[in-house]
């Protein structure tokens, strides 16, 4: 657009041009580039004003687009009659749409969403009237809309809109797309599958593709007769196609009223296992041909989960069946299409012999998440994408509740703190975070909010809210919300109203401080003893990754605060709602020798800074394990985060970490391991990287010796996870006995003498690759080629980057873009290289830059491009890298990842500051702890 606006034209019509600029029809980068070089323009006062605005609005990072406008409401759909005929050889499809619509306001045009579809004919038949043919189709490609024009006004009332169209079965993993698979005999074939959330139903058929424009759907698919055809509802008719007896026409029952993004269809070759939930719903898990056995675990979880939600929400599942299906090429983890939930193979399939414990847990969580959406999201849907967080945050919270119900031995709520809560705190401490609720418009902005704020912070504040309200009132409020809004749309405030009525607490007031403003507080605590009472002085201020917020306009939160004491660490002694910047609290009957802890259970979404005396009193509770695992984890994680923000020295955290020598809990070790990984990555920029490896070896050796390599009688799920974690950490850090044993076991595995158990494969593969040569890499690539199971292929892909030699790192990066790696998995191969070493980091970033066009085209602005950028860049710690990254993305626009790029640049600068501030002290400490006592 910019180059079409020549400066001579601008000079002639400067007012028009100013309006173009201010209306964002011309990008501000153009203004900055052209105006200073054009004396004619500079002589006009209007342009110096515009230039000042352009320069002040530092928005040079991407081209501007015109303001987003939702669809007009003068015509809306009541029922879509949709027939699709995919061609699995030529990758095209033909479609016929007969939609019953309601004309609210007489109009001679109908505006719908439409992308990558060619309309052949369109007409409108008013109820009881004559057919009116459309005279024009005007595609607005940037807005993904089409306007159908009619020769005369369509009058108010019902009618049928008929459209014949054609489209492409694309290879972008969105819309109606093709997914590549191999038959058991090794022949390459393609399935036709869908992924419509957020805004891609419009790539399969012209529609009103907004969540609030709900309708019913009658879907028919014309498919080869040897293929399985599935959609949201059950099949009601199957008959040979009149024009071609190799085809079948499969007709599905009418859906309930629903949003377009939840429509789904799949055509391919699948086997299935079937069960029935105790409340009579038929559940099927569809697997690749010949792998039905691998669907049994997910089936068992689904059959337990449906009645759990039925009971929890006190609202029955509204469809006659639910199918869960594994799709070969799939961008997300899974998608909750109503009645037909699609999954990556690794999020659904479990092989009893070859799947590890973490894969089982992942499948259980993802099944729990997607089935929760059948109520929360599908039955009641957000009014607009601004409220996406409620959908995803809620499902991300309740999936843990569900897994805790199905598998109590997983200790899943402690894992929540490490997997979701701390991840959200880290992201939300950045200046480039965003509030939970974001006003979004254009589709590329919607893609960008499928992030850890919507999912993990969303889940964390709902967990805090559930704790604040109590389970009984929470369930009561949920029930009334689902009943009141079923088959309709709702906003965040609607849920707050229902929960407020059920609990009598000021929910909207409390929660808006968490959803409408970005970030979270740090709670600063000090204490003094007065007789038998403990007086706590508590204050809040915004926590920033670069240190506490000291500005004038410091935001405040309504913070539910719980307090426990050493007398009974598992029991909350006092609850208060902190609704001001500071307060004083008295706790009665606390003897001077007892510790006091804020936020037992690590439920409140905030960081804590204790006075040094309070912190000192809590540390013995880590060594003697009197603090609960989740609180030991929370304490360490808070201190680590304070050290990164420069509020305490990193040496203090290293000293604290050494107190975890008796730690038995998997999740506590997992979080420690994660933070040590961050530190190790940071110190790879120094010449004392080996010293931090030694620290890691020293810390993990006792627990490694205790666990050993073999699984013992009576051990469970968490022991298997812990063994894999500890051996992998020791192996990567170069612990000699671990390395030797890993090499021995790997050799036996490759030679078929003694196959490695699934839980030991990742740590062994990682260890031998980290200290391996080209022969090791070749063996690993051969194992990858031979692997029949996607889980095993992914396991290998994730660790390939551990290889150290520069030429071999290059080989791994080239492999990432080869046909041997599924498109969605390329990201984890490149990320594995970037996360493994200093050289890997540089090589991965160069590879991303050199192959940017192919990668960006492949992921088409979806969230995988954001993930790729984050994994490639997060480990850098040199100021000038932030400038290089910024400059690269100014000339290589990635609108859906704009915020991710800003977050990465901020993280690079934070890492650089951390390194400058603490590197010398860390080095001195690591040297001193090994020095012989004088």
């Amino acid at each position: 657009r910019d180059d079409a606006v020549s400066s001579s034209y601008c000079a002639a019509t400067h007012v028009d041009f100013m309006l173009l600029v201010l209306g964002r029809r011309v990008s501000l980068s153009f203004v900055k580039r052209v105006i200073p070089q054009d004396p004619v323009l500079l002589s006009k006062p209007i342009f110096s004003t515009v230039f000042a605005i352009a320069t002040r609005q530092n928005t040079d990072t991407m081209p501007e687009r015109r303001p987003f406008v939702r669809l007009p409401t003068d015509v809306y759909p009541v029922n879509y009659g949709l027939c699709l005929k995919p061609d699995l050889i030529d990758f095209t499809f033909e479609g016929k749409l007969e939609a019953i619509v309601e004309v609210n306001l007489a109009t001679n045009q109908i505006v719908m969403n439409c992308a990558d579809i060619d309309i052949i004919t369109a007409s409108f038949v008013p109820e009881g009237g004559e057919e009116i043919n459309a005279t024009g189709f005007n595609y607005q490609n940037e807005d993904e809309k089409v306007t159908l024009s009619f020769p005369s006004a369509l009058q108010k009332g019902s009618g049928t809109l008929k459209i014949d169209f054609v489209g492409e079965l694309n290879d972008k993993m969105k819309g109606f797309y093709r997914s590549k698979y191999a038959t058991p005999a090794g022949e390459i074939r393609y399935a036709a599958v869908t992924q419509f959330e957020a805004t891609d139903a419009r790539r399969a058929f012209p529609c009103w593709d907004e969540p609030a424009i709900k309708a019913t759907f009658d879907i028919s698919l014309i498919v080869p007769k040897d293929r399985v055809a599935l959609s949201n509802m059950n099949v009601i008719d199957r008959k040979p196609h009149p024009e071609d007896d190799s085809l079948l026409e499969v007709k599905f029952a009418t859906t309930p009223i629903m949003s377009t993004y939840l429509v789904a269809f799949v055509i391919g070759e699948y086997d299935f296992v079937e069960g029935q939930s105790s409340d009579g719903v038929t559940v099927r898990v569809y697997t690749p041909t010949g792998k039905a056995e691998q669907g049994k675990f997910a089936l068992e979880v689904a059959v337990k989960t449906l009645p759990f939600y039925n009971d929890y929400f006190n609202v029955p599942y509204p469809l006659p069946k639910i199918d869960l299906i594994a799709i070969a090429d799939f961008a997300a983890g899974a998608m909750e299409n109503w009645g037909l939930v699609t999954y990556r193979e690794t999020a659904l399939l479990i092989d009893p012999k070859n799947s590890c414990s973490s894969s089982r847990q992942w499948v259980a969580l993802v099944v729990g998440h997607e089935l929760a959406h059948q109520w929360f999201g599908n039955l009641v849907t957000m009014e607009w994408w601004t409220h996406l967080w409620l959908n995803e945050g809620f499902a991300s919270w309740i999936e843990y509740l569900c897994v805790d119900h199905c598998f109590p031995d997983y200790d899943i709520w402690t894992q929540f703190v490490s997997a979701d809560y701390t991840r959200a705190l880290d992201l939300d401490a950045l200046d480039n975070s965003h509030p939970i609720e974001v006003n979004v418009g254009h589709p590329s902005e919607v893609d960008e909010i499928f992030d850890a704020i919507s999912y993990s912070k969303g889940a964390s504040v709902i967990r805090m809210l559930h704790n604040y309200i109590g389970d009984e009132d929470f369930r009561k409020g949920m029930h009334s919300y689902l009943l009141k809004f079923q088959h309709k749309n709702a906003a965040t405030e609607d849920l707050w109203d229902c929960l407020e009525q059920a609990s009598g607490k000021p929910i909207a007031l409390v929660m808006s401080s968490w959803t409408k403003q970005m970030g979270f507080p740090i709670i600063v605590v000090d204490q003094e003893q007065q007789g038998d009472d403990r007086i706590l002085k508590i204050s809040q201020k915004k926590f920033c990754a670069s240190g506490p917020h000291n500005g004038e306009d410091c935001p405040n939160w309504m913070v539910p605060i719980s307090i426990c004491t050493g007398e009974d660490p598992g029991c909350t002694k006092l609850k208060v709602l902190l609704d001001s910047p500071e307060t004083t609290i008295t706790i009665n009957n606390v003897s001077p020798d007892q510790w006091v802890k804020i936020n037992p259970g690590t439920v409140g979404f905030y960081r804590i800074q204790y006075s040094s005396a309070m912190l000192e009193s809590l540390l013995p509770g880590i060594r003697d394990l009197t603090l609960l695992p989740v609180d030991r984890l929370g304490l360490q994680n808070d201190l680590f985060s304070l050290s990164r923000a420069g509020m305490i020295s990193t040496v203090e955290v290293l000293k604290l970490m050494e107190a975890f020598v008796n730690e038995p809990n998997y999740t506590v070790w997992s979080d420690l391991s994660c933070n040590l990984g961050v530190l190790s990555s940071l110190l790879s920029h120094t010449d004392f990287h080996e010293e931090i490896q030694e620290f890691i070896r020293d810390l993990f050796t006792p627990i490694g010796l205790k666990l050993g390599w073999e699984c013992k009688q009576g051990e469970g799920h968490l022991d298997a996870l812990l063994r894999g974690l500890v051996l992998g950490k020791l192996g990567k850090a170069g612990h000699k006995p671990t390395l030797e044993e890993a090499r021995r076991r790997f050799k036996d595995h490759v030679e078929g003498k003694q196959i490695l158990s699934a839980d030991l494969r990742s740590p062994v593969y990682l260890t031998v690759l980290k200290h391996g040569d080209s022969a090791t890499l070749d063996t690993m690539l051969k194992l990858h080629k031979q692997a029949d199971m996607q889980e095993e292929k992914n396991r290998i892909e994730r660790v390939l980057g551990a290889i150290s030699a520069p030429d071999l790192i290059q080989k791994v990066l080239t492999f990432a873009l080869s046909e041997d790696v599924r498109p969605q998995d390329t990201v984890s191969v490149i990320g594995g290289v970037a996360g493994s070493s200093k050289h890997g980091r540089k090589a991965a970033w160069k590879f991303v830059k050199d192959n940017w066009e192919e990668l960006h085209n492949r992921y088409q602005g979806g969230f995988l491009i954001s993930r790729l950028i984050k994994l490639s860049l997060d480990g850098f710690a040199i100021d000038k890298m932030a400038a290089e990254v910024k400059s690269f993305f100014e000339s290589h626009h990635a609108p859906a990842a704009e915020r991710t790029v800003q977050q990465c640049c901020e993280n690079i600068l934070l890492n650089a500051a951390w390194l400058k501030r603490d590197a010398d002290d860390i080095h001195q400490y690591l040297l001193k702890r090994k020095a012989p006592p004088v």
Side-chain angles (χ1 to χ4, degrees):
R1 287 199 305 275
D2 289 346
D3 296 336
V5 187
S6 69
S7 59
S8 57
Y9 166 78
C10 299
T13 60
H14 60 264
V15 174
D16 286 353
F17 177 61
M18 188 187 80
L19 293 173
L20 280 174
V21 172
L22 297 180
R24 301 202 165 185
R25 298 296 301 276
V26 175
S27 73
L28 296 171
S29 57
F30 170 71
V31 182
K32 287 174 164 181
R33 202 169 64 243
V34 172
I35 292 180
Q37 296 165 5
D38 192 322
V40 180
L41 295 184
L42 274 179
S43 68
K44 308 266 180 192
I46 195 92
F47 281 113
S48 52
T49 308
V50 171
F51 183 58
I53 291 170
T55 314
R56 193 165 65 243
Q57 292 182 9
N58 182 23
T59 50
D60 211 18
T61 50
M62 62 176 283
E64 300 295 330
R65 63 166 74 89
R66 60 178 167 273
F68 172 78
V69 180
R70 279 165 73 165
L71 292 169
T73 53
D74 45 10
V75 179
Y76 70 89
V78 176
N79 170 271
Y80 291 85
L82 179 64
C83 179
L84 290 169
K85 182 184 171 190
D87 183 328
L88 299 173
I89 308 299
D90 292 338
F91 307 134
T92 57
F93 62 88
E94 296 169 20
K96 274 185 185 303
L97 176 66
E98 292 203 1
I100 297 168
V101 301
E102 198 62 43
V103 180
N104 271 338
L105 207 62
T107 177
N108 63 352
Q109 57 182 36
I110 295 178
V111 182
M112 305 168 75
N113 291 115
C114 178
D116 305 332
I117 278 175
D118 289 319
I119 294 173
I120 296 160
T121 60
S123 63
F124 182 79
V125 187
E127 199 170 15
E130 300 221 343
E131 188 162 0
I132 308 163
N133 288 314
T135 48
F137 321 131
N138 176 21
Y139 297 93
Q140 294 104 53
N141 290 337
E142 190 193 348
D143 292 338
E144 300 182 345
K145 290 175 184 168
V146 65
T147 302
L148 308 177
S149 304
F150 294 89
S152 57
L154 312 177
Q155 295 308 310
K156 205 171 164 205
S158 289
T160 303
L161 175 65
K162 298 181 177 182
I163 301 179
D164 286 5
F165 58 94
V166 291
E168 181 202 4
L169 284 177
N170 70 67
D171 60 354
K172 305 285 185 263
M173 296 187 285
K174 64 182 188 178
F176 196 13
Y177 72 92
R178 60 186 189 262
S179 170
K180 184 166 131 183
Y181 64 97
T183 64
E187 185 193 337
I188 296 296
R189 290 187 185 163
Y190 290 85
V193 304
T194 57
Q195 169 57 39
F196 290 163
E197 189 179 26
T199 55
D200 292 313
R202 62 193 66 175
R203 292 173 204 283
F205 56 101
C207 56
W208 286 261
D209 200 10
E210 295 183 358
I213 307 181
K214 288 189 168 186
T216 57
F217 290 80
D218 284 289
I219 291 171
S220 297
L221 298 172
I222 296 169
V223 301
K225 63 182 181 192
D226 60 348
R227 301 293 148 104
V228 171
L230 301 170
S231 187
N232 304 81
M233 297 297 287
N234 48 304
V235 174
I236 52 169
D237 190 26
R238 204 184 248 110
K239 60 179 185 229
H241 191 266
E243 292 158 34
D244 183 342
D245 62 4
S246 72
L247 298 175
L248 271 182
E249 187 168 344
V250 183
K251 194 169 174 10
F252 299 90
T254 307
T255 68
I257 186 168
M258 63 187 281
S259 304
T260 46
Y261 80 89
L262 294 166
V263 172
F265 16 92
V266 175
I267 299 101
E269 294 174 281
Y270 300 94
D271 285 343
F272 67 85
V273 286
E274 182 179 310
Q276 228 177 9
S277 69
S278 57
D279 34 20
V281 180
T282 301
V283 184
R284 283 183 176 181
V285 176
Y286 283 84
T287 72
T289 311
K291 295 186 177 178
E293 174 83 358
Q294 294 178 18
K296 284 184 173 171
F297 179 74
L299 180 67
E300 177 196 325
V301 176
V303 163
K304 279 186 188 171
T305 297
L306 281 174
F308 171 74
Y309 287 145
N310 233 339
D311 177 55
Y312 195 86
F313 297 130
N314 198 11
V315 173
Y317 174 73
L319 307 188
K321 62 93 177 174
I322 189 158
D323 298 327
L324 292 70
I325 185 166
I327 305 293
D329 293 326
F330 197 76
M335 173 62 209
E336 69 265 21
N337 318 298
W338 216 358
L340 176 57
V341 185
T342 45
Y343 293 78
R344 270 192 190 200
E345 288 186 6
T346 48
L348 191 69
L349 304 181
I350 291 295
D351 177 335
K353 286 196 187 67
N354 293 301
S355 287
C356 60
S357 303
S358 60
S359 291
R360 285 170 195 276
Q361 181 175 299
W362 173 239
V363 168
L365 284 167
V366 180
V367 169
H369 180 102
E370 304 309 331
L371 295 193
H373 276 311
Q374 306 302 304
W375 285 263
F376 209 95
N378 302 8
L379 181 64
V380 177
T381 311
M382 69 230 144
E383 194 281 329
W384 184 247
W385 300 108
T386 300
H387 307 282
L388 170 83
W389 84 272
L390 198 55
N391 234 8
E392 295 304 347
F394 184 84
S396 299
W397 169 75
I398 207 167
E399 70 184 63
Y400 283 86
L401 198 70
C402 160
V403 167
D404 196 41
H405 164 78
C406 295
F407 303 98
D409 59 319
Y410 282 13
D411 183 28
I412 204 74
W413 280 115
T414 306
Q415 294 195 54
F416 173 89
V417 174
S418 181
D420 282 89
Y421 170 94
T422 57
R423 184 165 158 246
L425 286 170
D426 286 342
L427 182 56
D428 205 28
L430 297 178
D431 293 341
N432 286 295
S433 181
H434 62 85
I436 281 180
E437 280 195 33
V438 186
N439 285 321
V440 289
H442 193 273
S444 69
E445 295 171 16
V446 180
D447 277 337
E448 210 181 359
I449 58 168
F450 283 83
D451 67 356
I453 298 296
S454 294
Y455 283 72
S456 299
K457 181 179 180 182
S460 298
V461 299
I462 285 169
R463 175 171 168 254
M464 177 168 72
L465 171 67
H466 175 264
N467 183 266
Y468 172 61
I469 293 178
D471 190 60
E472 195 182 328
D473 286 346
F474 187 84
R475 287 172 74 158
K476 218 187 290 172
M478 289 303 314
H479 174 65
S480 71
Y481 170 78
L482 288 169
L483 277 188
K484 185 174 179 181
F485 293 100
Q486 61 185 330
H487 304 297
K488 299 193 189 92
N489 295 79
T492 303
E493 288 68 28
D494 297 317
L495 179 60
W496 298 163
D497 288 348
C498 293
L499 290 171
E500 202 156 292
Q501 281 167 18
S503 68
K505 290 184 173 176
I507 305 302
L509 198 60
V510 171
M511 291 309 288
S512 61
S513 75
W514 296 96
T515 63
K516 294 192 186 301
Q517 62 185 3
M518 175 176 112
F520 58 88
I522 179 165
I523 304 296
V524 181
V525 197
D526 203 352
Q527 65 175 12
E528 63 173 283
Q529 189 77 20
Q530 284 185 4
D532 288 340
D533 299 338
R534 189 75 54 91
I535 314 296
L536 297 186
K537 189 176 176 211
I538 294 180
S539 63
Q540 61 161 308
K541 52 188 167 187
K542 183 179 190 304
F543 179 76
C544 301
S546 54
H549 178 99
N550 290 318
E552 289 295 300
D553 52 343
C554 191
N556 269 334
W557 284 262
M558 302 274 277
V559 192
I561 288 185
S562 305
I563 300 164
C564 71
T565 67
E567 186 182 24
D568 187 352
C571 176
T572 298
K573 189 140 178 141
L574 189 67
K575 281 187 174 189
V576 293
L577 185 66
L578 176 65
D579 55 3
S580 57
E582 55 185 56
T583 191
T584 302
I585 296 166
T586 302
I587 311 173
N588 305 119
N589 304 320
V590 181
S591 59
D593 60 338
Q594 269 185 44
W595 51 255
V596 168
K597 182 173 186 317
I598 308 292
N599 203 16
T602 315
V603 175
F605 193 74
Y606 47 82
R607 297 278 185 203
I608 305 170
Q609 185 174 28
Y610 292 102
S611 66
S612 48
M614 284 186 85
L615 184 59
E616 206 60 43
S617 70
L618 285 166
L619 295 185
I622 289 177
R623 280 186 193 276
D624 64 20
L625 310 178
T626 48
L627 274 171
L628 297 178
V630 70
D631 290 323
R632 302 197 293 270
L633 186 162
L635 203 56
Q636 176 269 133
N637 197 283
D638 275 349
L639 287 176
F640 187 76
S641 168
L642 295 183
S643 74
R644 188 178 187 232
M647 295 166 71
I648 61 169
S649 163
T650 308
V651 169
E652 295 306 308
V653 184
L654 291 171
K655 287 177 182 167
L656 171 78
M657 285 176 169
E658 293 186 287
F660 283 86
V661 68
N662 304 318
E663 182 57 57
N665 184 279
Y666 160 69
T667 313
V668 177
W669 274 114
S670 170
D671 198 69
L672 261 173
S673 166
C674 193
N675 289 339
L676 279 166
V678 169
L679 209 49
S680 173
S681 172
L682 184 77
L683 298 178
S684 68
H685 296 271
T686 69
D687 55 5
F688 60 91
H689 190 235
E690 177 46 38
E691 275 87 342
I692 192 72
Q693 303 314 305
E694 193 178 352
F695 181 88
I696 291 168
R697 293 194 296 267
D698 289 351
L699 188 59
F700 279 79
T701 296
I703 182 80
L705 288 170
K706 188 175 161 196
L707 288 165
W709 283 80
E710 298 299 339
C711 153
K712 300 173 189 66
Q713 198 164 1
E715 282 188 349
H717 174 77
L718 292 165
D719 300 294
L721 292 180
L722 181 56
R723 180 173 288 108
L725 173 81
V726 170
L727 292 175
K729 201 73 179 171
L730 285 168
K732 192 177 178 190
H735 181 249
K736 282 212 167 54
T738 305
L739 173 55
E740 283 161 17
E741 183 64 11
R743 282 179 171 154
R744 186 186 71 72
R745 287 175 181 254
F746 182 65
K747 186 169 180 288
D748 286 354
H749 176 71
V750 172
E751 291 170 1
K753 286 183 192 163
Q754 177 73 53
I755 298 300
L756 279 164
S757 74
D759 284 315
L760 288 179
R761 286 183 204 171
S762 278
V764 167
Y765 293 169
L766 174 70
T767 302
V768 297
L769 273 165
K770 180 73 184 168
H771 310 280
D773 55 16
S774 62
T776 321
L777 180 60
D778 289 343
T779 307
M780 204 61 88
L781 291 173
K782 197 168 142 197
L783 285 179
H784 182 276
K785 209 168 191 60
Q786 290 165 354
D788 176 45
M789 204 183 172
Q790 196 55 33
E791 179 189 324
E792 176 73 354
K793 284 188 186 291
N794 284 172
R795 200 178 353 251
I796 294 168
E797 287 159 1
R798 278 197 293 269
V799 297
L800 286 173
I803 201 86
S804 299
D807 58 326
L808 300 180
I809 285 174
Q810 219 41 57
K811 187 173 177 178
V812 171
L813 288 167
T814 306
F815 172 74
L817 274 178
S818 72
E819 283 289 307
D820 294 315
V821 178
R822 290 203 178 145
Q824 70 266 26
D825 298 323
T826 297
V827 173
S828 53
V829 182
I830 298 171
V833 172
S836 284
S837 63
K838 187 179 179 179
H839 183 82
R841 196 160 41 236
K842 286 181 180 165
W845 170 232
K846 184 179 186 312
F847 185 79
V848 168
K849 287 188 295 183
D850 292 346
N851 294 277
W852 176 253
E853 206 165 316
E854 182 179 346
L855 289 162
H856 191 248
N857 183 44
R858 176 184 282 199
Y859 303 123
Q860 288 282 306
F863 68 90
L864 281 173
I865 204 80
S866 293
R867 186 171 296 169
L868 174 70
I869 290 167
K870 182 174 168 50
L871 289 172
S872 306
L873 293 173
D874 255 3
F876 283 106
I878 302 154
D879 287 350
K880 69 170 194 280
M881 263 306 300
E884 183 191 313
V885 169
K886 187 170 182 288
S887 147
F888 177 80
F889 286 106
E890 276 170 4
S891 54
H892 299 80
H893 295 301
E898 192 186 1
R899 186 179 277 117
T900 303
V901 171
Q902 291 163 350
Q903 289 166 350
C904 287
C905 291
E906 185 177 349
N907 268 323
I908 292 168
L909 295 173
L910 287 166
N911 286 342
W914 190 9
L915 200 57
K916 271 192 210 108
R917 195 173 55 237
D918 277 7
D920 288 346
D921 289 350
I922 295 170
H923 192 192
Q924 289 312 308
Y925 176 73
L926 293 175
L927 289 175
K928 201 166 79 187
R929 66 183 285 279
K930 295 314 285 181
V934 179

